[in-house]
Amino acid sequence: MTNERRDFIKKTSLAGIGAAIAVPSIASADSKKTFRWKMTNCYGAGAPFYSTGPGSASYFCKRVEELTDGRLRIKHYPAGELIPAMEGFDAVSKGTIEMNWGNSFFWAGKTFAAQYFTAVPFGMNFQGTNAWLQFGGGQELWDEVYKPFNVIGLAAGNTGVQMTGWFKKEIKDVKDLDGLRMRVPGLAGKVLEQLGVSVKLLPGGEIFPALERGVIDAAEFVGPFQDRRMGFQKAAKFYYTTGWGEPSNTTECLINKDAWATLPKDIQAIVKTVAAECNLMGLSWSEANNSEALEDLVKNQGVEAKTLPDSVIEKLRELTFVTYAKLTANDPLVKKVHESYFAFKAMHDDWQNKSEEVVMTKLSS
């Protein structure tokens, strides 16, 4: 071996050793970097599922801190503590805060396509919605819809089927809806307006006072457990189901895109994993608690649980798809999301009818 060759090997070996030493020091520095974020919430302090308890925003923040060993700490602010309940989207978009917990259909005024990532009238249940989001192109469309706003949305909870709502009077016919003042968000509200309903969009904490004082005649919120906690049974006694407006309802973890880009890949992975954990945990918690709550409301608190008449459901279905046609006609992105969602639904329905439907109709007690 020549002297020149020995010098080359010696130099490159030393360089390699130096690089090997340098890489861990870089990784170590990155692994020690800490992040302090703020998260606001569309729902108030103490709200089960949304603010406290399994799968909630506070649970999410705690789990992220635990799994990142304190590298990402997120301070949770329930509605009204830092900003008003419905200002989370703008605050995250501008980078004033890094995260918001709520539902994407609250932002349908900015882009109607946001509706499809929370609840779709006459749409899919939890299983279908999650399948579309994860494996049917739904998440990619969510990213595309939110790109102009500099935000990212992640599914972080699901209530399952939501009730149609609380009514002060019985609904026997479509005409009984005419003239009602009702708290109901999203596309369901747009449909009900065509039947003469005066739609109000109120934060959760404002619903009961409005219903009790007669400012509104009816209200949709979530399901038996959360609704009972809000005290709606004290202001209205007719409780209707069908889930036409919200066959499932996805919670959104909204993240500022610039802030997201500053997180190391491992922390990004942890955030996504905890969101997925909350998504499943939220549904499981809802399923575990709603049955007992509904039984208590009916047996002990004088509530009449009813299903909307078929004639009402069919009218709602008709108007819903007329509304879809109008809203997708002039917005290519909304049309793209709509077509993707309902194409996946058609496929999923075929399987659902051969699986879940059989279980529910043939095997249930």
Side-chain angles (χ1 to χ4, degrees), residues 296-313:
D296 173 60
L297 288 167
V298 172
K299 288 187 176 180
N300 304 318
Q301 303 199 44
V303 171
E304 293 189 45
K306 292 178 172 290
T307 301
L308 285 176
D310 289 346
S311 60
V312 175
I313 296 172

Side-chain angles (χ1 to χ4, degrees), residues 205-242:
E206 297 179 18
I207 301 173
F208 175 73
L211 192 62
E212 184 183 40
R213 295 197 308 266
V215 176
I216 56 176
D217 310 299
E220 181 277 341
F221 189 52
V222 184
F225 187 91
Q226 284 106 321
D227 290 7
R228 179 181 63 176
R229 177 186 173 275
M230 299 294 280
F232 299 146
Q233 70 277 10
K234 299 173 184 176
K237 291 300 182 184
F238 295 101
Y239 195 26
Y240 280 91
T241 185
T242 60

